[in-house]
Amino acid sequence: MKSLKHLFEKNKVWAESITEKDSEFFSHLSKQQLPKYLWIGCSDSRVPANQIVDLPPGEIFVHRNIANVVVHTDLNCLSVLQYAVEILKVTDIIVCGHYGCGGIQAAMENKQHGLIDNWLRHIKDVARFHDAQLQATDDDKKFDLLCELNVIEQVKNICNTTIVQNSWENDAKLTVHGWIYNINNGILKDLDRCISSNKEL
Ligand code: CO
C-alpha cells in the first residue's frame, strides 16, 4: 500500500464498528440488496446520499452526476434507472439538487469552462424554458430558483422515460420526488413535486 493508507485504516475501523453492533450485517447484505429508493443527486462532495438521510449501506441505489441532470440519451443514468425500477423494484425515485450547486452557477455564467460546458448546456436549456420566471426574479434569488427549477425539470425527465412510463402502465407503485438540500444547514426540502402517475404528470 503506497498511499492513502489513512483511508484503509478508517475503513477498517468503520467495518469493525458495524460488525460490533450487528455481527450479521455484512453477511446478510452480501446475499442481496433490496433498496426501496433510487437517489439521483449531484456529485458534490457535500451532498452524500446515505449520510444526509442517515441510512446504512443497502438502503439507497445511487446515481450522481454534476448538477443531478437526467438526460434523455444518457445511457449511464438510464441504465441505473432501468435496473432500479425493473429489477430492484424501488418504490420511490428521489431527484435531490442542492443550493449553491457549482454546476448550476457555471451554467449561469457567460464564459467557457471547457468540456463541461457541453453537459451544462442541459441546465442552460432549463433556464431558457423558465426565462420569464427567472427574469421576473431578483438577481440574488435567481441562483436558488434555478437550482430548484433544475430539480423539477429532471423529475419531469424521469417521468417521461419509457422505463417509468411502462412501470406506471403496469400499475407499479412508483413515485418520483423532487428535493433540494441546503448545504448551509444540512436540511432537505421537498419541492412538492411528488408524481405517481401520468395523470399527476
Ligand atoms: Co451540485
Side-chain angles (χ1 to χ4, degrees):
M1 209 184 304
K2 285 196 181 111
S3 59
L4 301 182
K5 207 171 156 224
H6 59 295
L7 295 185
F8 285 88
E9 281 161 6
K10 283 178 86 67
N11 164 253
K12 200 160 169 268
V13 172
W14 171 77
E16 280 167 3
S17 75
I18 288 186
T19 311
E20 220 167 81
K21 279 182 232 147
D22 177 0
S23 59
E24 306 286 300
F25 183 83
F26 289 110
S27 62
H28 276 154
L29 210 54
S30 65
K31 290 181 190 101
Q32 64 172 338
Q33 59 163 338
L34 281 172
K36 290 198 280 290
Y37 316 109
L38 165 62
W39 176 281
I40 296 179
C42 183
S43 298
D44 193 304
S45 64
R46 298 165 293 182
V47 197
N50 285 68
Q51 268 166 296
I52 63 180
V53 285
D54 196 21
L55 285 176
E59 302 285 325
I60 315 184
F61 201 61
V62 175
H63 176 80
R64 290 169 68 183
N65 60 40
I66 288 174
N68 41 272
V69 180
V70 178
V71 179
H72 314 302
T73 52
D74 179 1
L75 283 182
N76 184 352
C77 182
L78 293 177
S79 300
V80 168
L81 181 64
Q82 185 189 7
Y83 190 76
V85 171
E86 294 179 8
I87 309 298
L88 298 174
K89 303 203 184 297
V90 299
T91 55
D92 297 270
I93 300 170
I94 298 151
V95 179
C96 185
H98 67 103
Y99 295 118
C101 182
I104 305 282
Q105 189 171 33
M108 291 174 80
E109 293 166 359
N110 279 319
K111 63 172 190 188
Q112 275 214 18
H113 305 86
L115 170 80
I116 195 173
D117 286 323
N118 301 286
W119 182 253
L120 299 177
R121 289 293 325 166
H122 299 293
I123 297 156
K124 286 183 185 280
D125 287 342
V126 173
R128 189 158 42 80
F129 300 153
H130 299 276
D131 189 49
Q133 191 183 353
L134 284 162
Q135 291 301 330
T137 302
D138 293 344
D139 279 348
D140 60 334
K141 298 202 173 76
K142 277 193 172 84
F143 184 17
D144 283 356
L145 177 62
L146 188 55
C147 290
E148 293 177 358
L149 291 172
N150 180 52
V151 170
I152 292 163
E153 282 301 316
Q154 308 316 323
V155 165
K156 286 188 220 160
N157 286 346
I158 288 183
C159 293
N160 282 314
T161 60
T162 52
I163 300 155
V164 171
Q165 287 289 313
N166 291 342
S167 173
W168 283 339
E169 198 68 36
N170 295 326
D171 290 325
K173 198 179 161 295
L174 181 65
T175 305
V176 185
H177 309 259
W179 294 358
I180 195 150
Y181 175 76
N182 190 334
I183 52 171
N184 293 311
N185 60 14
I187 298 297
L188 277 171
K189 182 168 92 182
D190 192 338
L191 290 173
D192 210 15
R193 288 296 191 286
C194 301
I195 303 177
S196 308
S197 66
N198 260 325
K199 210 173 132 197
E200 287 170 15
L201 177 64

